[in-house]
Structures are given as structure tokens and as C-alpha cells.
Amino acid sequence: MKELDNLVKINKLKPEPPDAQEFAGMVRAAETKLKDAAISGLSADSQFSLAYSAAHAPLAALRWHG
């Protein structure tokens, strides 16, 4: 977190308060996309797109920590 704190100090990042509802929504969306990526019959491109979107779940952790 030291690197992120440094970016806040030089005004490159703005801290935001954690939001439990936002966090839960991001995790729920990632879980849904990952589940949907496993649907047989989808094109490989669609499966990749869904799995790639689900991989952004770590954003929820960053948001939770401000």
C-alpha cells in the first residue's frame, strides 16, 4: 500500500471511503460473469470476454480499501 499512499500524497490518486454495497455488487458481478463464462455453446470470444471481465474483481478490493 506504500506505493498507493505515495500516489495519494502527490495527488495522482484520490482516496475514497469504502462502500459495502459497491463492494458486494462488484464481487457479485464478477461471480456471475465467471459462471456465465463456463456456459457451453458460447463462442470462445464471449467466454474470454466474460472471464476477463470477472478478473477485474480485484478492483473491488482496491475500492474497499479506499
Side-chain angles (χ1 to χ4, degrees):
M1 295 286 279
K2 179 182 171 185
E3 291 82 4
L4 294 178
D5 291 337
N6 288 337
L7 290 173
V8 170
K9 286 179 187 175
I10 62 171
N11 295 318
K12 295 292 183 180
L13 283 181
K14 182 184 112 188
E16 295 189 22
D19 182 320
Q21 286 183 328
E22 180 185 40
F23 177 78
M26 293 175 113
V27 170
R28 214 172 21 257
E31 289 171 340
T32 299
K33 288 176 183 178
L34 193 56
K35 181 180 168 186
D36 290 350
I39 295 173
S40 63
L42 288 179
S43 69
D45 186 54
S46 292
Q47 287 177 319
F48 175 82
S49 181
L50 286 164
Y52 183 83
S53 293
H56 285 96
L59 175 61
L62 286 175
R63 297 284 294 194
W64 184 252
H65 290 283

